[in-house]
Amino acid sequence: MARTALVTGGSRGIGAAISKALKAEGYNVAATYAGNDEAAAKFTEETGIATYKWNVADYDESKAGIEKVEAEVGPIDIVVANAGITRDAPFHKMTPEQWHQVIDTNLTGVFNTVHPVWPGMRERKFGRIIVISSINGQKGQFAQVNYAATKAGDLGIVKSLAQEGARAGITANAICPGYIATEMVMAVPEKVRDSIVAQIPAGRLGEPEEIARCVAFLASDDSQFINGSTISANGAQFFV
Ligand SMILES: NC(=O)c1ccc[n+]([C@@H]2O[C@H](COP(=O)([O-])OP(=O)(O)OC[C@H]3O[C@@H](n4cnc5c(N)ncnc54)[C@H](OP(=O)(O)O)[C@@H]3O)[C@@H](O)[C@H]2O)c1
C-alpha cells in the first residue's frame, strides 16, 4: 500500500514542488496551507493533491487537521515540516510581536506538526520527519534574529528526534536551502536579487525542485541510515 505524506505549506513555493515530487514517487500526499484559499484551490485543481487549511502555530488545530488527513488519506508515514514565514527587522527595531509570530509558526509549528503523528509512527515502526530549515539558521542573517533562531532550532529538533526514533524505524533530518527562486525571492527588486546571486558561487538561485528531490530521497527506504543529519542545498554559498 502506498505510504502517506503530509507537507505543511505544501500548496505554494518550495512546499508545492515537494508535494508534487512526492506524488510523482507514488505517495498519497496531503498539503496544508494557512489562508491563501485561491492558491490552494488552484494547486488542487492542477495536481489532484488534496489541500487542508490550518494554522501550524496552533496545536489543537494541527492535531484536529492531522486526524482529518489520517481519516481521509491514510496514516501519516512521512511529515515534511515546511510551512514558514519571515518577519524581518534589524534587532533594535524587531518587535516582540515579530519575534513571537516567527517562533510560533516556524519552531512551535514543527512541534505541533510532528507531535501528533509521532505515536502512530512509533507503533507502525516506520516514519520520516523532514524539516525545511534554512542557510540562515546555519550562518545567521542581518535582520533575521527571529527567523535564524527558528531555523537553527530545527537542527536541534531533528538531532534529538533522530536519537529517540532510530530504534522505531523513524528518521528525522533537516534540509537547509540557500536562496531558492520562489515567489518571495522573485518579488524582491532585481538589484537586490542580483546582489544575492553575486554571493552564490553557483551563480544562480536554486530551484524548488532541487529541494524537492532531496526530500524525495530522505522519504525513501534507501535513506534509512541517514538520521539526524542536515543537508545543505545552497550552491556552495556556505559550508558548516
Ligand atoms: N524561498 C527560499 O529561498 C527559502 C530559503 C531557505 C528556506 N526556506 C524555507 O522553506 C520553506 C518554504 O518557503 P517558501 O519560500 O516556499 O514559502 P512561501 O512561498 O511563502 O510558502 C509558504 C507556505 O507555508 C504556508 N504557511 C505559512 N504560514 C503558515 C501557518 N501559520 N500555518 C500553515 N501554513 C502556513 C503558506 O500558506 P498560504 O499559501 O496559505 O500562505 C504557504 O503554503 C519555509 O520554511 C522557508 O523558511 C525558503
Side-chain angles (χ1 to χ4, degrees):
M1 211 176 83
R3 290 194 167 122
T4 296
L6 175 73
V7 184
T8 65
S11 61
R12 287 199 296 118
I14 294 172
I18 294 169
S19 299
K20 287 192 252 182
L22 292 177
K23 187 181 178 200
E25 293 287 326
Y27 299 106
N28 300 318
V29 180
T32 82
Y33 68 104
N36 192 333
D37 297 316
E38 203 182 315
K42 191 163 173 264
F43 176 78
T44 298
E45 196 185 304
E46 286 172 3
T47 62
I49 295 170
T51 44
Y52 294 82
K53 179 164 141 179
W54 72 75
N55 178 8
V56 296
D58 185 301
Y59 185 81
D60 292 338
E61 262 188 50
S62 298
K63 194 166 184 294
I66 284 165
E67 280 167 9
K68 191 163 188 259
V69 169
E70 295 209 311
E72 292 179 3
V73 186
I76 294 167
D77 305 298
I78 298 149
V79 164
V80 186
N82 164 79
I85 58 167
T86 53
R87 294 289 182 270
D88 296 354
F91 190 57
H92 64 283
K93 289 187 179 165
M94 187 171 284
T95 63
E97 195 190 6
Q98 288 171 318
W99 169 262
H100 286 296
Q101 279 178 342
V102 173
I103 297 289
D104 291 353
T105 304
N106 297 11
L107 192 61
T108 308
V110 176
F111 176 86
N112 294 345
T113 302
V114 176
H115 194 257
V117 301
W118 189 255
M121 288 180 173
R122 278 167 47 93
E123 270 169 37
R124 294 189 298 277
K125 299 271 176 275
F126 179 88
R128 294 283 185 267
I129 311 293
I130 302 158
V131 183
I132 308 301
S133 175
S134 169
I135 184 175
N136 292 345
Q138 296 172 300
K139 71 173 188 57
Q141 177 63 25
F142 186 92
Q144 287 198 329
V145 165
N146 50 2
Y147 182 82
T150 63
K151 296 300 181 178
D154 288 341
L155 308 185
I157 290 175
V158 299
K159 287 172 191 170
S160 305
L161 286 179
Q163 294 176 49
E164 294 195 27
R167 284 191 184 236
I170 306 170
T171 67
N173 294 287
I175 298 171
C176 288
Y179 286 87
I180 307 299
T182 58
E183 270 173 48
M184 185 177 77
V185 173
M186 296 313 278
V188 305
E190 203 176 338
K191 248 184 154 179
V192 178
R193 216 164 57 233
D194 287 348
S195 71
I196 292 172
V197 172
Q199 294 165 34
I200 307 172
R204 64 171 179 88
L205 299 170
E207 295 297 330
E209 291 73 22
E210 294 181 298
I211 305 306
R213 285 195 287 275
C214 294
V215 171
F217 173 64
L218 289 175
S220 72
D221 286 1
D222 290 340
S223 70
Q224 190 68 45
F225 207 56
I226 300 173
N227 203 355
S229 65
T230 301
I231 297 184
S232 299
N234 62 33
Q237 190 181 352
F238 183 75
F239 306 112
V240 180

